[in-house]
Amino acid sequence: MKHAVSYFIKKAADWLFRKRSPALLVFRSGVCLTLATLVGGLTVSVVYSNTGQFLELNYQSSNTAQLFLSIGFFLGGAATVFGAVWEYQTFRDVRKRNEKKKTIVLEQRGLVDTSDTPLYEFLKNQCSWQVDSIVNDIRERIIDNVITRPDLALAKLSHIKMSIAEKVTQYAASDISIVYGGVFPTPFSFYTGYLLDDESLITRFDWDRDISIWRELDEGDDGEEFVIERPESTAKTVVLAVSISYPVDRLAISTVFPDQPIHYLSLPSLDRNNHWAKNKQDRLSGDFFEYCKNLLGLGVENINLILASQNSIAFRFGQAYDKRNFPNISIYQYERHQSIKYPWCLRISYKVGEAPIIVYTEFKHIA
């Protein structure tokens, strides 16, 4: 009972003083005007007497003042009632719309354990409509931050679109929104974005490692652009190495891909917190798209992608990749402490009906 009373008082205080809307502005103005006319209409009489001292204060308003007070009281009461009815009507309309809305939260757990602070719970506390959750958890395939069976982890991703479709049946497309967040191996984050490229209204969240909370991409675009290093030669298979959060391992790349032209795209400032602007991510993904299109124009048929970036950017780049027109793409996983630092990749073919596969890197010795 005590908690119910506290909840009621909190909600009433929020509604009366914190919530902002035109209807509540009219309501509060009406209440203030009504109270002012009530106070102003009182007749004040104070009498104090003592030996040798006498104090008397009287106040009596005139008929004209009483008329203005009566008009003010009527207008204040009318504004209060009108504001309350208007706010209730707005509340009812919003609730009716929210009954039709649904947000699907897709969270991917892998490299960092976020189960204590799930994205679903974080979003549910902020939404007044229905929120549903899909969790891809591959932590059992990861030992000491190294994924041991990427082929089994890939199998868990193949049904994402079907899982979303099952949760949005009987809902209009305009009433559905998707929230994505995760801390996943880069190839799988890219592939998830690749799968969901045609889904509308996807809001990206990322895990802030400094303060261990989920964050939306809410900062401003700093205008950073890629510094491009092109090779002198070209071939049908090339390496595209993109550095955003950390520099790619150039020595390892030259070892794993000794005979392939290497294209480098790098941001001037490599930092794990340089990605919190949605507009920046969208702009960089557009630059990535254009560069892949240029490679296609050079006759490239296979791209080996090395991507050192945050999870949300890997997902966004996957969304940007044109699955119908661009070359085959293989996204490599980086493992710093292994002898082969790019030990496997997720290969995606542009051919219809050809499923993505995990390909393990063969050791290449350079004399």
Side-chain angles (χ1 to χ4, degrees), residues 2 6 15 113 129 134 160 196 259 284 288 302 323 345 360 363-364:
K2 183 179 178 180
S6 299
W15 192 80
D113 185 1
W129 54 86
I134 299 173
I160 285 180
L196 302 181
D259 302 320
L284 293 179
F288 170 74
N302 300 284
K323 63 178 66 175
C345 70
Y360 292 91
F363 179 76
K364 298 180 177 66

Side-chain angles (χ1 to χ4, degrees), residues 93-121:
D93 292 344
V94 170
R95 186 176 64 178
K96 189 175 180 180
R97 287 197 301 269
N98 286 343
E99 288 174 352
K100 300 179 180 179
K101 293 174 63 176
K102 188 175 188 179
T103 294
I104 307 298
V105 179
L106 174 58
E107 180 182 348
Q108 295 183 315
R109 298 173 186 165
L111 301 179
V112 174
D113 185 1
T114 58
S115 57
D116 291 338
T117 52
L119 182 57
Y120 165 76
E121 294 293 341

Side-chain angles (χ1 to χ4, degrees), residues 241-258:
V242 184
S243 301
I244 296 177
S245 56
Y246 292 92
V248 296
D249 191 332
R250 298 196 177 206
L251 178 60
I253 292 173
S254 64
T255 301
V256 175
F257 310 98

Side-chain angles (χ1 to χ4, degrees), residues 14-152:
D14 289 343
W15 192 80
L16 286 172
F17 303 109
R18 295 177 184 174
K19 186 178 178 182
R20 299 181 182 276
S21 72
L24 286 179
L25 179 62
V26 173
F27 173 81
R28 291 165 186 156
S29 300
V31 170
C32 292
L33 181 58
T34 302
L35 293 176
T37 56
L38 288 175
V39 172
L42 294 177
T43 299
V44 179
S45 180
V46 177
V47 178
Y48 170 79
S49 62
N50 199 357
T51 305
Q53 294 182 338
F54 180 78
L55 174 64
E56 182 176 355
L57 174 63
N58 293 305
Y59 171 77
Q60 180 65 50
S61 61
S62 65
N63 292 333
T64 303
Q66 286 291 344
L67 175 62
F68 281 114
L69 289 173
S70 299
I71 294 174
F73 179 80
F74 173 77
L75 292 177
T80 301
V81 173
F82 176 74
V85 173
W86 185 9
E87 178 64 19
Y88 173 74
Q89 183 66 40
T90 302
F91 168 78
R92 192 175 64 175
D93 292 344
V94 170
R95 186 176 64 178
K96 189 175 180 180
R97 287 197 301 269
N98 286 343
E99 288 174 352
K100 300 179 180 179
K101 293 174 63 176
K102 188 175 188 179
T103 294
I104 307 298
V105 179
L106 174 58
E107 180 182 348
Q108 295 183 315
R109 298 173 186 165
L111 301 179
V112 174
D113 185 1
T114 58
S115 57
D116 291 338
T117 52
L119 182 57
Y120 165 76
E121 294 293 341
F122 181 81
L123 266 297
K124 187 178 180 181
N125 295 332
Q126 302 180 22
C127 298
S128 56
W129 54 86
Q130 185 177 358
V131 180
D132 209 341
S133 175
I134 299 173
V135 177
N136 281 145
D137 194 339
I138 62 168
R139 286 175 295 163
E140 73 276 9
R141 307 298 175 193
I142 293 180
I143 301 175
D144 295 330
N145 270 355
V146 176
I147 183 165
T148 57
R149 290 294 303 273
D151 54 332
L152 297 181

Side-chain angles (χ1 to χ4, degrees), residues 320-331:
Y321 200 79
D322 190 338
K323 63 178 66 175
R324 287 164 288 274
N325 299 309
F326 279 0
N328 302 322
I329 187 166
S330 301
I331 310 96

